[in-house]
């Protein structure tokens, strides 16, 4: 037995000595290179022996080395890439095994549209936010920019009125200009489009929005380029940011898809002004009469037998506001066909939108057609075209300031006790306002915008097929053509018409922008190095023509064509400008870890004199993908960590006239039937570009496989050489001259957070949140600029849209008189006591969106908010007039809280026509907090089961409900804190006779065949 055991032990010992040598003979050093699917080395990839957990990582050149034997499996993985497996075969002393990893679908790998191309989100250096149009298109507004409200950090959007198709306030990182434009540059499929209204017939300060000509249903994505690194490639037009719009295209080798989207619903005004009743109005007027020290016996509202208007309690109350607001009908229909074969892809789309404003007589309708076509002539050459055609029609009304012809003004400002008709049955007119029935039944203001936006391009892949290099040449021709036709007629029942025996105006405006552009782009990958070069040039021309004619003294209201008028006048104008540009950009990255990008653009504009025609706008940016460093590769909780920084200069010339630097003469200055000319503008050959320098620092963080994504940006924008129209002494013979004078700064912080809260088979929950703050300051301005209505001023040392008013400290509880701050301490209240009390610019703005899906159901709830911006409630200025306007203006309910007896505590002084209680303007009493939280959108949808749809040949079908502006939280006393009376860029937050943003509810159907 012992012999047997000893023999076994000897055998085991022998095996123990020989087995390791045997195993060593079957293992070897396995090495290789891991590359991405675009043939770039992939550093930081993990190479692990399957089932053992032992492994290594690739170096900066994507190389690895590991010991393995035959049959063992190497698992290769990397953040953002799909795993790959390699099986070790028969080995010698060493074996080479290479692998290629394909990028996994994720937000980081998403292609983002930037200037003249696309980039992967994870490689971005600049501050760029891309919005998927599918996420915002259900909001029933006329233009896509309003759909962006609250969606993008650093972007402030607000509607001037609740009328569809009206102008908007759109700012990217603050105001940078005074007389030049503060609007961003809009680029649609490579076409620089016009966003300035061509409207010439006034609607009392409001302007129609030309971007409402674009059908949001045709848009695929919207990129907001915010910092100089992202925008400088656009040079002279990019100081206010760039909005790059990409429309939908078909797909190669794809089945033809037919998509129908339709919706219908209603819009209604959520809140209106609260006016006093007839008896309350009469009581206040009588009280003011008595407070003025006038005899009680002669008070306005006393028995008719005593010569008065009747006792206060006898006064009727007429509701005019309820009469002019309605439930507006909303309709939308979009049909598209898309697809393609191996060589050609196409997208055809047609749409019709009809929106009635809640304010009567205001309607907007748009019919649109879209054709995008791309064709591969050869493997190396392709051609394509993008075409958008739209016709937008509007039934306009005067909305905003001005008594004549204003429908809302006639209803809102006419005292409620005054009758609608006179005793003889004729139409009653009060205080310069038209009769409301006359306006509703006889307003005739029509406009039609006919617009074409398109381009034709050709591309040649010169080095196609070489894995490490590519060289592409592209040439394109683009056109933006807009014909704007307006007409109005005021019949003899209206104030304007009766004064002129009929008044008709016709205006025809035509704007044409043409662009020719060439780009050459080279890319090269060499081991861990990748770089690209882009060079190009642009030639652009813009021609604007306008003809207007007016006629008066018509035979009757049945003859409305201007040819029927006995007196006609006409005018015409033509203006043009040219822009020539050369630009270039270089980018480099090492091992997808260190990124560098720089660009330079030179622009020459015909708007400037020979001394400063050219402007040069450089930028540079760097980024560090910290996640790719060795000390973070194995920390799987962090899936993305990138630090960015950039600096650059951009320009602005928009907003000044085409000949701003030149001395101009004008014709039409005739004398005794002899033609004459006259100098109209003084030359300034030293006029030069308005320039903005911007510094940006950003941080991107992704956690837990990017289920949490955070982006933070801090920036400083400094604008100098402001283009300002400076007043001149009358002795010069000219009223003003364009000059470079002034500097403005903007400093801000932006935060965006995206989270995947739940990601299950049946249930998902995603959240996106953004908030941004901007601090604006006018750093230098030699001459203060008064904005419209003499409430806001642009003054050195203060922010844009600054309110300078008389500051009311309190109402004296003993006397009931308003006490104002004697700012200069001279003992009297004069114009010198007007002081800064705040700005219309908000402290911060943002939005919060939650999207949930459960099986076939989806729910999206979006809230946007704004804090700190002030609003001047000019309606209250007129409505809380303390008896000074009697039958010339209505009175609102807030006047009922006035001081009436000693000891009353209120901020509304005693009613009187004497002193400063109501005769001092503007005062801080009417400057209100415009902060708000708005439930902007609620969308609830259900997608029908595919198994059911296949039986009837339908690919997908979804029904949904969409409600917008369903709830508003604000301390502002008007209906809506967002409205603004004028499209003037220097005025914001001024509320006077503007209809509120409506609430809407609609049901819709998305159908795909």
């Amino acid at each position: 037995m012992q012999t047997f055991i000893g023999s076994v032990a000897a055998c085991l010992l022998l095996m123990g000595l020989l087995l390791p040598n045997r195993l060593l003979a079957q293992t070897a050093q396995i090495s290789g290179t891991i590359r991405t699917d675009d043939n770039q080395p992939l550093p930081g990839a993990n190479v692990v022996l399957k089932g053992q957990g032992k492994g290594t990582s690739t170096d900066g050149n994507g190389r690895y080395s590991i010991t393995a034997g035959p049959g063992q499996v190497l698992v290769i993985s990397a953040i953002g890439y799909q795993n790959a497996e390699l099986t070790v075969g028969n080995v010698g002393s060493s074996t080479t095994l290479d692998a290629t990893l394909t990028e996994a679908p994720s937000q980081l790998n998403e292609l983002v549209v930037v200037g003249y191309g696309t980039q992967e989100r994870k490689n971005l250096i600049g501050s760029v936010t891309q919005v998927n149009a599918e996420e915002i298109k259900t909001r029933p507004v006329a233009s896509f920019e309003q759909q962006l409200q609250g969606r993008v950090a650093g972007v402030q959007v607000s509607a001037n009125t609740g009328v569809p198709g009206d102008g908007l306030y759109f700012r990217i990182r603050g105001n940078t200009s005074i007389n030049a434009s503060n609007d961003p540059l809009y680029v649609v499929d490579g076409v620089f489009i016009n966003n300035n209204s061509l409207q010439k017939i006034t609607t009392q300060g409001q302007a129609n929005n030309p971007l409402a000509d674009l059908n949001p249903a045709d848009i695929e994505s919207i990129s907001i380029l915010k910092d100089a690194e992202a925008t400088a490639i656009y040079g002279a037009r990019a100081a206010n940011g760039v909005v790059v719009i990409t429309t939908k295209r078909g797909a190669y080798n794809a089945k033809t898809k037919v998509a129908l989207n339709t919706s219908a619903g209603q819009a209604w005004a959520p809140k209106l002004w609260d006016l006093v009743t007839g008896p309350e109005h009469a009581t206040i007027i009588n009280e003011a009469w008595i407070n003025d020290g006038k005899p009680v016996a002669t008070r306005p509202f006393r028995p008719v037998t005593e010569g008065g208007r009747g006792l206060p309690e006898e006064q009727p109350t007429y509701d005019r506001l309820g009469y002019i607001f309605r439930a507006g009908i909303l309709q939308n229909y979009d049909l598209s066909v898309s697809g393609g074969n191996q060589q050609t892809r196409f997208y055809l789309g047609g749409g019709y939108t009809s929106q009635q404003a809640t304010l009567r007589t205001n309607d907007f309708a748009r019919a649109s057609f879209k054709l995008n076509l791309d064709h591969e002539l050869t493997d190396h050459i392709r051609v394509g075209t993008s075409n958008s055609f739209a016709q937008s029609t509007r039934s306009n009304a005067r909305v905003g300031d001005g008594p004549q012809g204003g429908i809302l003004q006639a209803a809102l400002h006419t005292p409620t006790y005054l009758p609608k008709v006179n005793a003889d049955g004729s139409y009653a007119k009060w205080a310069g306002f038209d009769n409301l029935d006359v306006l509703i039944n006889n307003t005739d203001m029509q406009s039609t915008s006919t617009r074409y936006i398109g381009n034709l391009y050709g591309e040649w892949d010169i080095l196609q097929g070489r894995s490490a290099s590519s060289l592409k040449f592209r040439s394109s021709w683009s056109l933006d053509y807009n014909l704007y036709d307006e007409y109005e007629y005021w019949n003899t029942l209206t104030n304007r018409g009766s004064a002129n025996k009929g008044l008709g105006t016709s205006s025809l405006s035509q704007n044409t922008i043409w662009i020719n552009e060439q780009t050459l782009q080279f890319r090269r990958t060499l081991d861990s190095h990748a770089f690209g070069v882009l060079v190009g040039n642009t030639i652009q021309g813009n021609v604007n023509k306008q003809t207007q004619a007016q006629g008066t003294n018509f035979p009757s209201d049945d003859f409305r064509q201007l040819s029927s008028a006995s007196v006609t006048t006409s005018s015409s104008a033509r203006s043009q400008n040219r822009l020539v540009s050369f630009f270039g950009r270089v980018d480099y990255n090492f091992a997808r870890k260190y990124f560098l990008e720089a660009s330079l653009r030179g622009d020459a504009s015909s708007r400037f004199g020979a001394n400063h025609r050219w402007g040069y706008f450089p930028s540079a940016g760097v980024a560090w993908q910290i996640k790719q460093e060795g000390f973070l590769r194995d920390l799987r909780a962090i899936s993305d960590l990138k630090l960015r920084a950039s600096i650059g200069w951009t320009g602005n010339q928009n907003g000044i006239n085409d000949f701003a630097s030149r001395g101009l003469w004008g014709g039409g200055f005739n004398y005794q039937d002899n033609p004459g000319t006259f100098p109209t503008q003084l030359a300034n050959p030293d006029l030069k570009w308005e320039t903005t320098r911007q510094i940006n620092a950003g941080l991107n963080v992704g956690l837990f496989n990017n289920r949490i994504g955070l982006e933070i940006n801090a920036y400083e924008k400094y604008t100098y050489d402001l283009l300002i129209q400076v007043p001149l002494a009358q002795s010069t013979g000219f009223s003003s001259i364009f000059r470079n004078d002034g500097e403005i700064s903007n400093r801000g912080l932006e935060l965006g957070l995206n989270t995947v809260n739940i990601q299950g088979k049946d249930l998902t929950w995603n959240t996106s949140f953004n908030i941004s703050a901007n601090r604006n300051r006018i750093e230098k301005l030699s001459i203060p600029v008064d904005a419209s209505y003499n409430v806001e001023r642009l003054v050195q040392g203060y922010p844009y849209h600054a309110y300078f008013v008389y500051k009311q400290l309190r109402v004296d509880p003993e006397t009931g008189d308003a006490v104002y701050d004697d700012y200069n301490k001279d003992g009297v209240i004069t114009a010198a006591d007007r002081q800064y009390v705040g700005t219309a610019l908000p402290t911060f703005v943002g939005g919060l969106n939650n999207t949930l899906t459960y099986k076939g159901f989806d729910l999206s709830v979006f809230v946007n908010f704004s804090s700190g911006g002030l609003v001047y409630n000019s309606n209250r200025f007129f409505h809380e007039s303390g008896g000074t306007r009697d039958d010339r203006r209505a009175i609102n309910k807030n006047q009922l809280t006035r001081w009436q007896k000693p000891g009353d505590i209120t901020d509304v002084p005693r009613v009187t026509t004497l002193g400063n209680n109501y005769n001092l303007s503007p005062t801080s009493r009417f400057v209100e907090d415009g902060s708000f939280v708005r439930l902007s959108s609620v969308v609830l949808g259900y997608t029908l089961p595919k198994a059911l749809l296949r039986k009837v040949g339908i690919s997908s079908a979804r029904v949904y409900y969409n409600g917008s502006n369903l709830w508003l939280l604000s301390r502002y006393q008007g209906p809506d804190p967002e409205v603004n009376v004028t499209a003037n860029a220097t005025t914001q937050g001024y509320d006077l006779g503007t209809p509120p943003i409506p609430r809407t509810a609609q049901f819709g159907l998305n159908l795909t065949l």
Side-chain angles (χ1 to χ4, degrees):
M1 184 68 179
Q2 291 179 345
T3 303
F4 175 76
I5 295 175
S7 300
V8 171
C11 290
L12 290 174
L13 178 60
L14 182 61
M15 291 176 60
L17 293 173
L18 296 177
L19 187 57
N21 294 328
R22 179 65 177 173
L23 289 175
L24 286 174
Q26 292 184 348
T27 60
Q29 198 69 22
I30 310 298
S31 62
T33 301
I34 308 301
R35 295 183 177 273
T36 65
D37 50 7
D38 57 355
N39 202 39
Q40 291 197 46
L42 183 58
N46 295 312
V47 182
V48 178
L49 290 174
K50 189 173 185 178
Q52 297 186 27
K54 298 178 181 180
T56 185
S57 297
T58 56
D59 61 17
N61 296 315
R63 299 189 181 96
Y64 75 95
S65 179
I66 192 172
T67 301
Q72 289 188 299
V73 177
L74 304 183
V75 179
I76 298 110
S77 63
I79 300 280
Y81 294 86
Q82 297 179 10
N83 291 355
E85 294 186 356
L86 298 175
T87 302
V88 179
N90 294 326
V91 297
S93 60
S94 64
T95 300
T96 299
L97 288 178
D98 298 332
T100 299
L101 296 190
T102 302
E103 288 189 283
S106 74
Q107 190 181 42
L108 284 179
N109 301 326
E110 176 188 8
L111 288 178
V112 176
V113 179
V114 296
Y116 298 98
T118 59
Q119 287 185 8
E120 291 181 352
R121 183 181 297 277
K122 62 185 178 183
N123 295 339
L124 283 176
I125 297 176
S127 180
V128 181
T129 300
Q130 182 160 294
V131 180
N132 185 345
E134 292 296 319
E135 299 175 358
I136 61 175
K137 71 176 185 179
T138 53
R139 189 176 179 187
V141 291
S143 61
F144 73 90
E145 325 103 283
Q146 196 169 350
Q147 295 175 334
L148 293 172
Q149 184 179 30
R151 299 279 184 173
V152 181
V155 177
Q156 183 188 357
V157 184
S158 61
N160 287 335
T161 76
V163 175
D166 263 11
L168 296 172
Y169 183 88
F170 195 105
R171 295 291 182 268
I172 299 176
R173 293 185 169 181
N175 294 276
T176 62
S177 185
I178 293 179
N179 286 144
S181 173
N182 282 292
D183 293 332
L185 170 69
Y186 293 90
V187 184
V188 179
D189 290 335
V191 185
F192 306 134
I193 66 170
N194 171 57
N195 66 302
N196 296 315
S197 176
L198 301 182
Q199 178 183 337
K200 301 300 179 183
I201 297 178
T202 180
T203 51
Q204 297 306 127
Q206 296 301 320
N208 294 334
N209 183 6
L211 296 180
D213 293 334
L214 301 177
N215 184 359
D218 291 330
I219 297 176
E220 180 73 28
S221 67
I222 304 169
S223 288
I224 312 294
L225 281 55
K226 295 182 286 188
D227 72 335
E229 199 283 326
T231 62
I233 194 69
Y234 291 107
R237 292 158 293 185
N240 303 309
V242 182
V243 179
V244 181
I245 301 161
T246 303
T247 61
K248 296 177 179 177
R249 312 191 84 85
Y252 292 108
N253 298 313
K255 178 183 176 182
T256 299
K257 181 176 70 175
V258 180
L260 171 66
N261 301 317
T262 179
S263 63
Q266 282 191 336
W268 67 95
K271 175 186 175 183
L272 297 177
W273 295 264
D274 198 4
L275 304 179
V276 300
T277 64
E280 290 169 336
H281 187 114
T283 299
I284 291 171
I285 298 302
N286 277 353
E287 186 178 320
W289 184 275
I290 296 169
N291 287 343
D292 286 350
K294 299 176 181 178
V296 176
T298 59
R299 67 197 185 281
F301 291 91
R302 61 185 189 278
V304 177
T305 56
E306 298 179 15
R309 306 175 191 171
L311 295 172
E313 59 269 21
E314 297 172 342
Q315 303 306 310
T317 301
Y318 298 94
D319 177 22
R320 289 176 170 85
L321 287 175
Y323 179 49
I324 64 169
F325 282 93
R326 64 183 175 184
I329 303 301
L330 308 175
Q331 300 178 71
N332 188 75
Y333 309 93
D334 290 298
L335 179 66
S336 66
V337 181
S338 61
N341 57 25
Q342 187 174 357
Q343 290 183 294
T344 305
R345 63 175 180 173
F346 67 92
Y347 175 87
L348 280 170
Y352 177 76
T353 295
S354 174
Q355 298 183 7
Q356 288 183 331
T358 54
L359 182 65
R360 293 175 66 176
T361 78
N362 282 269
D363 301 309
F364 172 84
R366 177 187 60 235
S368 64
F369 174 77
K370 180 73 176 175
L371 170 62
N372 286 347
L373 187 66
D374 303 278
H375 180 70
E376 300 275 355
L377 292 176
T378 70
D379 290 340
H380 302 272
I381 300 174
R382 72 188 61 85
V383 294
T385 181
S386 300
N387 304 273
S388 297
F389 175 84
Q391 189 168 78
S392 302
T393 58
R394 293 174 172 87
S395 295
N396 294 320
R398 290 192 161 201
V399 176
D401 193 11
Q404 290 194 350
I407 289 178
L408 180 53
Q409 294 87 327
L412 177 59
H413 294 290
T414 301
T416 56
Y417 74 91
L418 295 174
K420 299 179 180 180
V421 295
N422 297 315
D424 60 1
S426 60
Y427 291 115
K429 300 180 181 181
W430 306 101
F433 295 107
D434 277 284
N435 181 274
L436 201 56
D437 284 295
V438 169
L439 289 177
I440 288 177
N441 296 318
N442 295 279
T443 292
D444 187 6
M445 297 180 69
Q446 310 292 330
S447 67
T448 301
S449 174
T450 303
R451 191 164 191 178
Y452 170 78
I453 300 173
N455 78 346
L456 177 66
Y457 77 88
E459 284 184 351
W460 177 22
D461 292 327
I462 302 173
L463 296 180
Q464 185 197 38
R466 301 187 183 182
S467 59
S469 302
S470 66
L471 181 64
K472 178 187 294 185
F473 174 76
R474 178 186 173 98
S475 180
S476 66
W477 283 91
S478 304
L479 179 68
D480 177 12
Y481 174 80
N482 193 187
L483 181 66
Y484 198 80
D485 187 1
E486 304 169 86
Y487 177 79
E488 67 173 355
Y489 181 79
W490 297 92
N491 69 23
T492 54
L493 294 175
T494 65
N495 289 339
R496 300 188 76 211
S498 62
N500 296 279
K501 296 183 180 180
L503 172 64
T505 307
S506 177
S507 178
L508 193 65
S509 301
Q510 177 181 297
N511 190 79
T512 305
I513 300 174
W514 60 264
I515 304 166
N516 173 233
E517 200 161 53
Q518 281 72 230
T519 60
L520 182 66
Q521 189 167 10
F522 174 76
R523 298 210 64 82
R524 172 77 172 173
T525 300
L526 187 62
D527 294 330
S528 298
H529 306 274
F531 64 92
V533 178
L534 169 74
V535 294
N537 81 289
T538 300
I539 305 173
Q540 177 176 326
N542 186 24
V543 179
N544 187 282
K545 301 177 182 179
Q546 192 262 327
T547 302
Q548 184 167 305
Q550 190 171 83
T552 58
N553 197 13
F554 287 75
S556 74
D557 289 330
D558 293 327
F559 294 84
R560 299 191 172 193
Q561 295 301 311
L562 298 188
S563 58
S564 300
S566 65
V567 179
T568 58
T569 58
S570 62
S571 64
S572 64
R574 184 181 187 276
S575 182
Q576 68 178 24
N577 66 75
R578 298 287 186 268
L579 187 72
V580 176
S581 309
F582 295 91
F583 54 89
R585 180 175 63 205
V586 295
D587 65 89
Y588 167 79
N589 80 75
F590 173 72
R592 294 197 172 190
K593 185 188 302 184
Y594 309 111
F595 297 84
L596 172 66
E597 188 168 287
S599 68
L600 174 65
R601 183 170 182 128
D603 291 295
S605 171
S606 63
R607 288 178 171 175
F608 300 104
N611 296 351
H612 298 284
R613 181 154 293 171
W614 281 92
Y616 299 95
F617 307 99
S619 74
V622 295
W624 177 22
Q625 186 58 266
I626 308 173
K627 172 59 183 174
Q628 294 297 331
E629 297 291 354
F631 58 86
L632 282 180
R633 287 177 189 166
D634 297 329
L635 188 58
R636 304 190 66 84
I638 298 178
S639 44
D640 180 41
L641 184 61
K642 181 171 66 174
L643 190 63
R644 300 174 284 108
S646 67
I647 184 172
W649 287 258
T650 48
N652 190 10
Q653 63 157 345
N654 294 330
I656 63 173
N657 69 60
D658 289 338
F659 310 105
S661 66
R662 302 185 183 185
L664 300 180
W665 287 72
F669 296 90
N670 307 326
Y671 179 72
Q672 294 184 348
D673 296 330
N674 293 312
T677 59
F678 193 83
T680 59
Q681 180 174 287
L682 192 63
N684 181 6
D686 291 322
L687 191 70
K688 58 186 177 182
W689 297 87
E690 189 174 280
T691 304
T692 297
R693 183 205 67 220
Q694 185 172 180
I695 301 171
N696 189 90
L699 177 68
N700 295 79
V701 181
L703 302 175
F704 309 114
N705 202 24
N706 292 308
R707 290 188 60 170
I708 299 176
L710 174 68
E711 180 176 349
I712 301 174
N713 285 284
Y715 63 87
E716 186 218 36
K717 296 174 69 175
Y718 199 95
T719 304
Y720 52 92
D721 292 331
L722 295 182
L723 293 166
I724 297 180
Q725 201 163 11
V726 180
L728 296 175
Q730 292 185 353
S731 59
T732 65
F734 298 90
S735 61
S736 63
I737 186 174
F738 275 105
R739 194 171 73 192
N740 296 104
D741 181 12
E743 299 173 0
I744 294 178
S745 68
N746 287 274
R747 296 174 177 87
L749 186 67
E750 303 166 355
L751 183 147
L753 177 66
N754 296 285
T755 63
V756 180
N757 308 313
I758 299 175
Q759 191 173 35
K761 178 181 179 182
D762 295 325
L763 177 64
T764 65
W765 174 22
N766 298 332
T767 299
S768 62
F769 171 77
N770 75 85
I771 187 170
S772 56
N774 182 77
R775 296 294 177 267
N776 174 276
R777 190 175 188 268
I778 299 175
E779 301 288 349
K780 181 181 177 182
L781 190 64
S782 59
I783 301 176
V785 177
D786 281 334
S788 302
Y789 307 103
N790 196 31
V791 176
E792 297 177 25
R793 291 178 180 173
L794 303 175
V795 182
Q796 180 174 312
Y798 294 91
Y800 220 94
H801 303 309
Y803 292 108
F804 282 83
V805 298
Y806 299 98
K807 187 175 182 180
Q808 179 180 306
L809 300 176
R810 63 186 181 279
V811 171
D812 191 321
E814 297 303 317
T815 65
D817 290 330
V819 178
Y820 295 94
D821 184 18
D822 182 12
Y823 188 62
N824 63 358
K825 309 302 180 185
D826 64 354
V828 292
I829 301 300
T830 65
D833 293 309
R834 287 179 60 178
Q835 59 183 285
Y836 173 73
V837 295
T839 173
L841 297 175
T843 305
F844 60 84
V845 296
L848 172 67
N849 187 64
N850 280 283
T851 303
L852 295 96
T853 64
Y854 178 71
K855 295 186 177 180
F857 292 93
D858 62 89
L859 173 66
S860 177
V861 180
F862 176 62
V863 176
N864 70 293
F865 54 86
S866 176
S867 177
L870 301 179
V871 180
Y872 187 81
N873 193 336
S874 191
N875 294 308
R876 280 186 59 201
F877 166 73
F878 286 105
H879 290 163
E880 294 177 31
S881 53
T884 61
R885 293 185 175 87
D886 193 0
D887 60 354
R888 290 177 291 132
R889 293 284 175 168
I891 299 174
N892 69 22
K893 289 284 188 181
N894 201 54
Q895 189 81 81
L896 299 179
T897 65
R898 68 199 180 280
W899 183 97
Q900 298 182 67
K901 63 182 185 304
D904 284 350
I905 304 299
T906 178
D907 65 343
V908 182
R910 70 186 182 102
V911 292
T912 178
T913 65
L914 306 176
N916 285 335
N917 283 0
Y918 295 96
N919 291 317
L920 201 62
S921 176
T923 73
S924 62
R925 185 164 70 247
F926 306 122
V927 178
E928 300 185 39
D929 183 3
S931 303
F932 67 87
V933 177
R934 190 189 302 274
L935 180 56
S936 184
S937 176
V938 175
V939 180
L940 176 63
Y942 177 69
T943 301
L944 278 65
K946 290 186 178 293
L948 178 64
L949 297 175
R950 290 195 197 99
K951 298 178 180 179
V952 291
I954 297 175
S955 176
S956 67
R958 175 177 174 267
V959 293
Y960 66 89
Y961 160 82
N962 179 28
S964 69
N965 191 27
L966 298 180
W967 174 75
L968 175 68
L969 175 65
S970 177
R971 292 184 295 178
Y972 181 63
Q973 295 187 43
D976 200 300
E978 280 199 76
V979 295
N980 186 42
V981 69
T982 178
N984 188 315
T986 57
T987 300
Q988 179 64 15
Y990 193 94
D991 186 4
L992 175 59
T994 48
I997 299 172
R999 290 179 179 172
T1000 68
Q1002 59 179 0
F1003 292 90
L1005 170 67
N1006 305 138
L1007 193 66
T1008 303
L1009 303 179

